[in-house]
Amino acid sequence: MINSQIERLEIGMIESYEQTITDADIKAFAGLSGDNNPVHMSEEYAETSRFKKRIAHGLLSAGFFSALFGTKLPGYGCVYVSQNLNFRRPVYIGDTVKASVEIFKIDKEKSRVFFKTICKVKGKTVINGEAEIYVPDTAD
């Protein structure tokens, strides 16, 4: 049976999303995740860290990949199978994160799509990795 939703996808397709990180974003993420590490929450503590000021949770920025997968590419109904992440640089309050996903492989038989994932701030990579996404048929 042909998966009509996966048929519209092609290697090389790219989607992006941008968001500027705020203090409120960090506090909300800490509340949801339970991660109250002072490097995220305390100016005083962060000043003594290698970062010199508060940084956003890495998974806050990585969460933008999920937004892209579920709403743009591949879109509604898809489900994460796996994701690996490499955290390259910190993200600070006020930074605008640009998350992008690019298809590099499609397995139509298993209804799986493989993506390169990258987040950048001011053109510099802050996170990169790869993801595998299950794409259901529109009839699922």
Side-chain angles (χ1 to χ4, degrees):
M1 184 170 157
I2 296 174
N3 180 330
S4 58
Q5 190 167 338
I6 208 168
E7 289 298 317
R8 68 176 177 77
L9 302 176
E10 298 176 13
I11 291 172
M13 292 177 85
I14 298 172
E15 283 289 348
S16 297
Y17 172 81
E18 289 188 24
Q19 183 167 318
T20 300
I21 303 300
T22 66
D23 175 61
D25 294 331
I26 292 171
K27 288 177 179 172
F29 191 86
L32 290 169
S33 69
D35 181 354
N36 292 301
N37 183 332
V39 78
H40 306 304
M41 306 304 290
S42 167
E43 289 290 347
E44 295 77 23
Y45 180 87
E47 286 173 2
T48 67
S49 75
R50 65 186 256 193
F51 305 110
K52 304 302 180 202
K53 55 186 177 176
R54 288 172 55 209
I55 60 171
H57 303 76
L59 290 178
L60 172 58
S61 296
F64 301 148
F65 299 137
S66 184
L68 284 164
F69 294 138
T71 63
K72 293 187 177 185
L73 186 64
Y76 303 135
C78 73
V79 178
Y80 253 115
V81 175
S82 68
Q83 171 83 59
N84 67 44
L85 299 167
N86 303 299
F87 298 95
R88 302 294 186 193
R89 289 184 169 80
V91 173
Y92 297 98
I93 295 170
D95 281 349
T96 299
V97 176
K98 181 178 183 181
S100 300
V101 299
E102 178 181 358
I103 297 173
F104 74 88
K105 179 181 169 187
I106 300 171
D107 183 339
K108 292 180 182 180
E109 190 173 298
K110 293 183 179 179
S111 297
R112 302 286 199 270
V113 181
F114 299 82
F115 291 85
K116 295 177 188 173
T117 57
I118 190 165
C119 284
K120 292 186 175 190
V121 172
K122 298 176 186 167
K124 293 186 177 183
T125 300
V126 295
I127 302 171
N128 63 12
E130 293 182 358
E132 179 181 349
I133 304 296
Y134 168 72
V135 180
D137 187 22
T138 52
D140 281 0

